[in-house]
Amino acid sequence: MTALFSLGIDFGTSGARAIAITEHREIVQTVTVHSLEQTPQGWREALWHLLAAFNREIRQNLQAIAINGTSGTVLLCDDDGKPCTEALLYNDDRGKTVLPMLQTLAPPQHLVQSATSSLAKLLWFESQDLTTPASYFLHQADWLSGLLHGNFGQSDYHNALKLGYDVENLRYPPWLQRYPLFDLLPQVQTPGGGKQNILATIAQRFGINPHCQICAGTTDSIAAFIASGASEVGEAVTSLGSTLVLKLLGDRPVQDLAAGVYSHRFGHLWLSGGASNTGGAVLKHYFDATQLQDLSVSIDPTADSGLDYYPLLKPGDRFPFNDPNLPPRLTPRPTKPRQFLQGLLEGIARIEAQGYRRLEDLGSPRVERVFTAGGGAQNPVWTKIRARYLSCPVLISPQPDAAYGTALLAQRGLLRI
């Protein structure tokens, strides 16, 4: 019996990765582009490289492909999918110059009221007279998927959230439909849905199964959540990277936009979260990788240090405390580095626990189990400290790679929880 494969492709902030999985969700091949030029041309070259690098058997038996991209990375293109503009990346804030226009278009306190939202970037393109030759306004994952199936103008409700799409009612809101450039906006599909046949030219060029389906994609952060395996109400994923990012699965949407808390539709459930400025960047400021490893093993995770730190590199945080002037709290400083490190690990764990309590206060369920992704997941002592503060099991995500989550999305065909 011929094996069938699904392919997930992750376009991140610095590189791109593709993972092929079997029908039993086993990884059979991983391909990585380590240096990614953040331009449409660079993305396209990386996509062609990734496809070509898979072995022949996988390509000939691919049944589905899905792509994730960075949230809020956008461009304008013509009817043939040729870019009309440069790409504006997820963190590009030139939309701050059109915030007055945005305030007249969208409701107050709406998620799009941000200089980096997709809609702010479209208004900036409009302000620069760049929209006239365009047929489509697309996110990174939208455009890359279009290269594979040829039908540009398709998106998914994860990427479209910061464009103003109403994910509760699954439609563009009336105020956005009245916008003169509304016709440029993509049709929105369920992530993993909206299947399109792969272009015959692409299938022939790369030796891909001509019946392979291209599915609507998602964002990189949600793909990482899917990869974790969390799927039940009360399950969460904490990303311990340079910053601390929390995502909790619940049965209702919650938001506190001032603190950066909002909710993605996740099948029939809701994925809510927030991000703090604390995290691994603070640890690396004081300790190198070897010191972190050597000192951690000498810490007793069951005994409290007595230190009450709020580890930040500079004043200000949004979540769980929304205070742009919140000062770092890193005193008293013990003479022993091990004690100082323990205080930092406990401080970040305390903020994590406070973050989940903040989500609970907003209406999310109590956290029952936490999967961990990011570099901090590899520190078992820190894991035990966090479990003590969270009062629930803390596990390492078995597959933290966003490309794996996107492969699962392709395999399932629709985002169902």
Side-chain angles (χ1 to χ4, degrees):
M1 184 176 178
T2 303
L4 296 177
F5 305 100
S6 298
L7 183 64
I9 305 177
D10 166 43
F11 276 79
T13 57
S14 58
R17 177 171 293 183
I19 290 178
I21 63 173
T22 68
E23 295 167 283
H24 303 292
R25 303 183 179 181
E26 298 168 340
I27 295 175
V28 288
Q29 189 177 354
T30 301
V31 180
T32 302
V33 173
H34 294 286
S35 180
L36 179 64
E37 179 186 334
Q38 292 290 358
T39 65
Q41 177 65 24
W43 302 342
R44 180 168 48 216
E45 290 177 359
L47 178 61
W48 298 160
H49 173 83
L50 291 170
L51 292 176
F54 279 92
N55 69 51
R56 183 178 179 182
E57 180 187 4
I58 291 174
R59 283 179 282 142
Q60 288 180 336
N61 294 285
L62 268 182
Q63 61 176 348
I65 300 173
I67 299 176
N68 79 67
T70 49
S71 176
T73 295
V74 297
L75 74 163
L76 286 166
C77 65
D78 65 17
D79 197 52
D80 296 322
K82 181 179 179 181
C84 302
T85 62
E86 64 178 313
L88 300 187
L89 303 185
Y90 66 99
N91 58 352
D92 192 304
D93 68 349
R94 68 187 76 183
K96 62 189 175 185
T97 62
V98 296
L99 287 179
M101 294 170 56
L102 191 56
Q103 289 165 3
T104 64
L105 172 62
Q109 305 304 313
H110 194 283
L111 179 63
V112 299
Q113 298 283 5
S114 164
T116 59
S117 73
S118 301
L119 188 56
K121 294 181 176 101
L122 176 56
L123 265 63
W124 184 85
F125 280 136
E126 181 185 14
S127 73
Q128 302 300 305
D129 295 323
L130 297 172
T131 56
T132 301
S135 297
Y136 303 113
F137 177 71
L138 299 175
H139 301 88
Q140 181 184 36
D142 309 338
W143 184 73
L144 288 165
S145 298
L147 293 179
L148 298 182
H149 57 61
N151 295 321
F152 294 93
Q154 303 287 319
S155 188
D156 63 89
Y157 61 57
H158 290 156
N159 275 292
L161 180 67
K162 294 181 181 178
L163 184 53
Y165 187 75
D166 181 349
V167 293
E168 290 192 60
N169 297 298
L170 296 177
R171 62 181 176 85
Y172 283 111
W175 60 263
L176 191 51
Q177 294 187 39
R178 292 191 293 268
Y179 176 43
L181 296 181
F182 176 72
D183 287 346
L184 295 180
L185 272 54
Q187 295 180 353
V188 179
Q189 310 287 343
T190 300
K195 291 183 178 181
Q196 306 272 341
N197 290 323
I198 191 169
L199 284 169
T201 52
I202 299 297
Q204 292 168 4
R205 175 178 177 180
F206 296 101
I208 294 173
N209 167 23
H211 302 292
C212 180
Q213 300 286 293
I214 312 302
C215 305
T218 184
T219 64
D220 53 349
S221 63
I222 293 187
F225 185 92
I226 295 171
S228 74
S231 61
E232 302 291 335
V233 170
E235 291 187 331
V237 173
T238 294
S239 177
L240 292 173
S242 298
T243 58
L244 175 72
V245 182
L246 313 183
K247 292 187 181 296
L248 176 60
L249 205 55
D251 57 2
R252 71 195 68 181
V254 302
Q255 70 175 30
D256 179 358
L257 296 182
V261 176
Y262 56 92
S263 299
H264 276 281
R265 178 180 282 272
F266 200 75
H268 64 271
L269 299 176
W270 295 88
L271 188 58
S272 305
S276 170
N277 293 333
T278 194
V282 182
L283 301 178
K284 291 181 179 179
H285 180 75
Y286 293 101
F287 301 98
D288 60 33
T290 301
Q291 290 172 321
L292 284 171
Q293 182 176 353
D294 293 345
L295 291 172
S296 291
V297 297
S298 65
I299 293 173
D300 179 1
T302 66
D304 196 279
S305 69
L307 299 169
D308 183 22
Y309 290 165
Y310 198 104
L312 295 171
L313 290 178
K314 61 182 181 180
D317 209 354
R318 292 184 69 187
F319 177 83
F321 303 104
N322 181 28
D323 182 352
N325 300 309
L326 184 71
R329 193 166 65 244
L330 294 167
T331 57
R333 175 81 177 261
T335 56
K336 294 182 177 180
R338 175 189 62 77
Q339 292 176 318
F340 181 53
L341 175 59
Q342 182 175 354
L344 293 176
L345 296 177
E346 290 174 350
I348 297 171
R350 190 180 298 111
I351 294 169
E352 179 185 7
Q354 291 167 333
Y356 283 119
R357 284 199 295 271
R358 176 65 183 137
L359 292 176
E360 185 179 349
D361 290 342
L362 290 170
S364 290
R366 179 181 177 85
V367 63
E368 300 292 343
R369 184 162 63 157
V370 175
F371 294 88
T372 312
Q378 307 308 314
N379 188 323
V381 170
W382 197 7
T383 298
K384 292 177 182 177
I385 290 173
R386 292 170 51 231
R388 174 158 58 87
Y389 279 92
L390 289 166
S391 300
C392 73
V394 176
L395 311 170
I396 297 175
S397 295
Q399 296 290 348
D401 201 307
Y404 181 79
T406 310
L408 291 178
L409 188 66
Q411 185 184 75
R412 293 169 183 170
L414 284 173
L415 182 62
R416 293 192 184 99
I417 296 298

